[in-house]
């Protein structure tokens, strides 16, 4: 295949992948979850006594047609190319890790005397995968905020000045790859361990159980996390699960809210490690990272800003060390 045909088929594949997100039940923006999010938004609209029509409330032009939103849309499409080239071919690594994890336990402890039952296995496997994935997603998110060079990449997500469900996909390709490496490793280790415990019944467990929590999370308004709809949970629940408004607080440009509510599904990690902020304690918020929004108002700037910032900081350090010497 010549270069032109290859590029053309890559672009075709990328468009297909991008559009498939609206029909893939594992993806947050599947039409069903968009509809359930709208129903929850209607509830918020009603209880907030908003004067405008519901449609105007849900689709304000200044949010959906903002420069920031167009960066979200373009990164969402662009990242499909990254997924095809740098993630798709490596998903299989998860199964290799699982295979070798199982082998490792067999070598260490021999075959288990009795295996766990299917129902018990499905429940435990689903819980283990959900909790571990969520915990490591919290840890990596914390790292993204605390380690200077990682923050340069994660900043792209936070540079959104308006939020809509596609802001979820406004992440730098480098962060996208890190997140996928994390879930491939966790999937491999947990699946291998349960394959060992269940005398190789893991296929059934994966098929029957692994997505229950994820489905509930998506079904119950996950899309509102990146939106202007302030859906809050009752106080006690916000210690356990991150509500959409709690994630909006995570995007707040008020320094008081920096590095808070970093959990993905569970708020427990934030609670345990002192980074939790409850919805009740927060009033109006606005979003973004810099006073100068124009630094982040195009796809190109968002892709290259981190490299520019990191190189400048290295040059500054070199200059400084030379002037000291
Ligand atoms: Zn963050
Ligand atoms: Zn976010």
């Amino acid at each position: 295949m010549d270069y032109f045909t290859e590029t053309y088929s890559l672009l075709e594949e990328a468009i297909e992948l991008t559009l498939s997100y609206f029909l893939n039940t594992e993806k947050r923006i599947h039409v069903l979850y968009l509809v359930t999010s709208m129903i929850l938004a209607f509830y918020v609209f009603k209880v907030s006594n908003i004067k405008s029509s519901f449609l105007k409330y849900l689709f304000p032009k200044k949010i959906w047609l903002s420069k920031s939103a167009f960066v979200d849309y373009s990164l969402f499409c662009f990242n499909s190319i990254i997924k095809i080239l740098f993630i798709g071919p490596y998903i299989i690594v998860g199964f290799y890790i699982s295979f070798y994890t199982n082998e490792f336990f067999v070598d260490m402890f021999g075959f288990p005397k009795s295996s766990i039952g299917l129902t018990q296995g499905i429940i435990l496997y689903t819980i283990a995968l959900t909790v571990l994935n969520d915990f490591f997603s919290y840890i990596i998110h914390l790292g993204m905020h605390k380690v200077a060079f990682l923050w340069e990449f994660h900043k792209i997500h936070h540079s959104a000045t308006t939020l809509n469900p596609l802001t979820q996909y406004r992440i730098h390709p480098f962060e996208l790859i890190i997140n996928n490496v994390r879930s491939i490793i966790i999937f491999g280790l947990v699946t291998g361990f349960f394959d060992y415990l269940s005398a190789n019944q893991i296929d059934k467990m994966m098929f029957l159980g692994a997505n229950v929590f994820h489905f509930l999370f998506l079904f119950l308004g996950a899309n509102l996390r990146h939106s202007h709809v302030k859906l809050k949970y009752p106080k006690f629940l916000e210690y356990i699960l991150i509500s959409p408004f709690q994630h909006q607080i995570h995007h707040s440009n008020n320094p008081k809210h920096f590095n808070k509510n970093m959990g993905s599904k569970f708020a427990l990690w934030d609670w345990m490690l002192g980074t939790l902020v409850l919805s009740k304690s927060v009033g109006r918020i606005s979003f973004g990272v810099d006073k100068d929004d124009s630094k982040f108002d195009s796809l190109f700037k968002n892709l290259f800003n981190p490299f520019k910032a990191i190189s400048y900081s290295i040059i500054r350090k070199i200059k400084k060390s030379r002037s000291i010497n």
Side-chain angles (χ1 to χ4, degrees):
M1 253 201 295
D2 62 41
Y3 181 70
F4 177 76
T5 328
E6 261 179 47
T7 313
Y8 180 77
S9 65
L10 172 65
L11 287 178
E12 209 175 33
E13 216 183 313
I15 293 169
E16 243 171 66
L17 179 65
T18 306
L19 294 176
S20 75
Y21 268 51
F22 293 96
L23 299 169
N24 181 342
T25 49
E26 281 181 23
K27 302 296 174 194
R28 192 180 289 190
I29 53 168
H30 182 280
V31 279
L32 170 69
Y33 312 134
L34 289 172
V35 170
T36 58
S37 295
M38 278 190 220
I39 296 170
L40 285 163
F42 186 70
Y43 162 77
V44 176
F45 170 75
K46 278 287 166 201
V47 296
S48 315
N49 266 327
I50 291 158
K51 295 285 174 281
S52 71
S53 76
F54 178 56
L55 274 182
K56 271 197 180 144
Y57 165 69
L58 206 53
F59 298 110
K61 276 193 203 142
K62 66 173 198 288
I63 289 178
W64 290 88
L65 297 180
S66 66
K67 267 192 178 178
S68 175
F70 279 98
V71 172
D72 302 353
Y73 309 149
S74 48
L75 256 173
F76 172 53
C77 299
F78 180 80
N79 275 336
S80 287
I81 299 176
I82 303 294
K83 282 173 204 150
I84 292 167
L85 294 178
F86 302 108
I87 295 166
Y90 303 101
I91 298 283
I92 188 117
V93 173
F95 292 94
Y96 286 127
I97 297 177
S98 152
F99 176 79
Y100 287 110
T101 305
N102 186 3
E103 293 274 291
F104 168 80
F105 283 110
V106 173
D107 284 350
M108 288 293 283
F109 308 108
F111 288 100
K113 302 240 169 355
S114 62
S115 68
I116 49 169
L118 186 60
T119 315
Q120 199 186 7
I122 290 170
I123 296 168
L124 292 176
Y125 174 65
T126 308
I127 293 174
L129 200 57
T130 306
V131 170
L132 286 174
N133 230 332
D134 204 75
F135 175 67
F136 283 101
S137 134
Y138 174 90
I139 295 293
I140 286 177
H141 194 178
L142 186 70
M144 292 272 170
H145 277 256
K146 298 284 185 178
V147 178
F149 98 91
L150 290 176
W151 168 244
E152 290 304 330
F153 291 99
H154 186 58
K155 211 190 241 182
I156 302 321
H157 184 63
H158 283 269
S159 68
T161 50
T162 58
L163 303 182
N164 72 81
L166 288 180
T167 312
Q168 155 76 5
Y169 303 105
R170 181 196 179 110
I171 47 174
H172 194 280
F174 179 69
E175 183 177 347
L176 180 72
I177 292 171
I178 291 185
N179 290 343
N180 277 276
V181 168
R182 179 209 76 223
S183 50
I184 287 172
I185 294 176
I186 303 284
F187 167 83
L189 293 175
V190 176
T191 305
F193 180 60
F194 277 85
D195 202 16
Y196 171 76
L197 288 182
S198 70
N200 307 99
Q201 291 200 72
I202 197 71
D203 304 3
K204 291 174 204 144
M205 290 182 190
M206 279 163 60
F207 180 72
L208 292 169
N211 288 321
V212 172
F213 290 127
H214 192 55
F215 173 78
L216 279 176
F217 168 71
L218 299 178
F219 191 79
L220 295 173
N223 280 301
L224 298 180
R225 297 155 65 98
H226 295 106
S227 81
H228 56 289
V229 177
K230 295 177 172 46
L231 180 66
K232 303 165 186 178
Y233 292 161
K235 191 177 167 192
F236 79 92
L237 196 57
E238 287 196 344
Y239 284 100
I240 303 163
L241 300 172
I242 292 275
S243 71
F245 188 62
Q246 277 176 299
H247 188 72
Q248 292 164 22
I249 297 169
H250 178 67
H251 278 265
S252 161
N253 60 4
N254 182 338
K256 241 174 42 187
H257 304 139
F258 290 174
N259 309 330
K260 302 288 187 208
N261 293 355
M262 278 177 284
S264 180
K265 290 186 178 77
F266 296 114
L268 284 169
W269 323 121
D270 281 297
W271 188 22
M272 281 158 51
L273 294 159
T275 54
L276 186 73
V277 175
L278 300 174
S279 297
K280 221 176 136 234
S281 61
V282 178
R284 279 179 77 87
I285 46 173
S286 47
F287 311 120
V289 278
D290 212 293
K291 282 187 194 79
D292 181 11
D293 295 338
S294 68
K295 279 188 194 163
F296 302 95
D297 64 3
S298 76
L299 172 68
F300 186 81
K301 287 180 193 170
N302 278 289
L303 288 178
F304 292 100
N305 270 351
F307 300 109
K308 210 165 97 183
I310 292 166
S311 348
Y312 283 167
S313 116
I314 294 172
I315 293 168
R316 263 199 311 275
K317 275 190 188 134
I318 294 173
K319 277 188 181 162
K320 209 172 154 191
S321 71
R322 276 192 186 155
S323 69
I324 292 168
N325 294 332

